[in-house]
Amino acid sequence: MLSLSLEEFMVELNEGSIKNVGPTNKSATVKLFDVEEAEAREFGDKRVKLVFEDEDGNEVQVSLFPEDVRKIVEDVEALEDDSPVFE
């Protein structure tokens, strides 16, 4: 399931074209639940791309620098040691 929340978001649809309307203060939050596939792969010369997909084909891609990936790995290892999630 993909959840998408858009804040301060307004666009104009005119003859098949989408145009920003109003100020540029838009933001979005995306959440993907029930992930069925997850993978990590190279993204350019300096980043790692994490790709997550659910059973409906919804996909979220995240590009991170290696130091950010290492921090996530450390967080997961700490969860494995301390959290009942991995029991």
Side-chain angles (χ1 to χ4, degrees), residues 14-69:
N14 186 3
E15 297 180 11
S17 296
I18 296 176
K19 178 182 174 186
N20 177 44
V21 176
T24 58
N25 62 342
K26 294 157 182 53
S27 65
T29 301
V30 176
K31 298 178 183 181
L32 186 65
F33 299 95
D34 303 321
V35 172
E36 293 216 341
E37 293 183 33
E39 69 174 311
R41 55 183 181 232
E42 292 179 351
F43 183 67
D45 293 338
K46 298 182 180 182
R47 293 188 183 217
V48 175
K49 182 186 287 186
L50 304 177
V51 182
F52 306 94
E53 186 174 329
D54 70 5
E55 64 183 12
D56 297 324
N58 297 309
E59 182 177 277
V60 173
Q61 297 184 10
V62 179
S63 172
L64 300 171
F65 287 107
E67 59 270 17
D68 298 320
V69 174

